[in-house]
Amino acid sequence: MIRYPSPLRAGARVAVTAPSSGVGADCHRRLDLALAWLRQQGLVPVEGHCLRTQHKQASAPAPHRAAELMHCLLATEIAAVMPPWGGELAIEVLPRLDWTALDAAAPTWLLGYSDTSTLLMALTLRLRWATAHGACLMDLVPGQHDPLIGGLLPALATAPGGRFTQRSSTAWQADWGDYTIHPERVFAPQIPTRLALLDVNPGRAVRFSGRLIGGCLDTVRNLAGSPCGDVPRFVRDAGDAGAILYFENCNLRPSEFLCVLQGLKLAGWFDGLAGVLVGRSSAGDVRTAEWLNQREALVAGLADLPCPVIIGCDIGHMPPQWLLVNGALAEVRYAEGAAEIEQRFV
């Protein structure tokens, strides 16, 4: 069912292109540090043309971004593609990709989150390529010692048939700082991590398994109803193995968040799931009792699901975060505010 890219090994060439937002001159120093980090890991970064520029919320016109991404995904000498970060306009690339050519090619690792998850989900759902939802390249700089970051490349080196395990973080951070002023900034998590069940019995332990699929709700919601967002088919194809949907809310205000959840329920995204993993929201929250807040939106949208829903997970814009491989068979074990997730490349 799932086609896994070759393990990412030392000496591999990694394409760095921006299919969504590019890197303006004020963040080039941060980008250079990220490229240096790749070299420290024994990888060979290959810069694309759609990278060090930014105009009208994108690195380049959509046809140029699509052509460069196609080249990177089809080039046999490229083992992985790592965009610098997400953005807003990755969806423009999708109708310009040659899906027939990609289907005939060997899969290549694509890593990132935020708007990059638009591409990740599309590749997994249309081609059954395994794709990697995790830290973006601009998170990866020398001196970054977060344990989840440290496990990222070893996880991508997992061979088909292999497995890797991650535990939830001990702390997370809400303040990113300014890379234009402090380009060398690394994670400084200070807020204790505590996951929770969206459940009438939140203290119970749960365990479930299934194939992973998901991304940033702000962007992947736009794929619903298309071949690039056919989550219901993915769930059906998973069969007895089951499926786990994960997502995060980046910028949706609570009422909009609830509407998106209800819309995706109508589209069948939450039917037949083994479980749901919800990341920390970076959208901010209300401070008045008269207004719907983020947790209330989750309760209103998902509390009636028959499967476990774990919230506060290490997913998305409030780092650190897990590496979640779309298509991988995962087992999630939750108890007492913490979770462990094992992923198998089968």
Side-chain angles (χ1 to χ4, degrees), residues 11-180:
R13 295 169 69 84
V14 175
V16 182
T17 181
S20 186
S21 185
V23 181
D26 57 351
C27 281
H28 283 180
R29 176 58 181 150
R30 176 74 177 192
L31 177 60
D32 290 338
L33 289 172
L35 296 172
W37 183 90
L38 285 177
R39 296 185 186 96
Q40 287 180 358
Q41 312 311 307
L43 300 171
V44 181
V46 180
E47 287 194 40
H49 297 290
C50 304
L51 179 62
R52 291 181 180 264
T53 53
Q54 177 75 342
H55 180 64
K56 295 189 181 294
Q57 288 79 53
S59 64
H64 298 178
R65 287 180 278 133
E68 184 155 281
L69 181 61
M70 275 295 301
H71 170 76
C72 295
L73 293 175
L74 292 178
T76 56
E77 69 273 16
I78 298 295
V81 180
M82 294 187 183
W85 43 30
E88 298 175 285
L89 298 176
I91 197 169
E92 289 189 306
V93 169
L94 295 179
R96 294 174 167 86
L97 298 180
D98 185 339
W99 293 98
T100 301
L102 290 172
D103 193 35
T108 299
W109 281 119
L110 178 61
L111 171 69
Y113 70 103
S114 192
D115 196 25
T116 301
S117 68
T118 308
L119 306 172
L120 304 178
M121 178 175 277
L123 289 174
T124 299
L125 293 182
R126 288 198 62 162
L127 305 175
R128 294 302 188 257
W129 283 20
T131 55
H133 185 281
C136 69
L137 181 64
M138 294 288 268
D139 295 334
L140 310 177
V141 295
Q144 189 73 275
H145 299 305
D146 174 75
L148 291 178
I149 291 289
L152 190 151
L153 292 183
L156 293 179
T158 302
R163 66 185 70 195
F164 67 95
T165 302
Q166 301 164 101
R167 287 193 58 80
S168 50
S169 64
T170 58
W172 59 280
Q173 73 177 44
D175 176 23
W176 281 86
D178 189 338
Y179 289 162
T180 66

Side-chain angles (χ1 to χ4, degrees), residues 212-236:
L212 291 165
I213 192 68
C216 177
L217 209 64
D218 306 53
T219 64
V220 298
R221 62 172 172 162
N222 298 316
L223 304 180
S226 77
C228 295
D230 197 348
V231 171
R233 181 186 173 189
F234 180 86
V235 175
R236 292 194 301 271

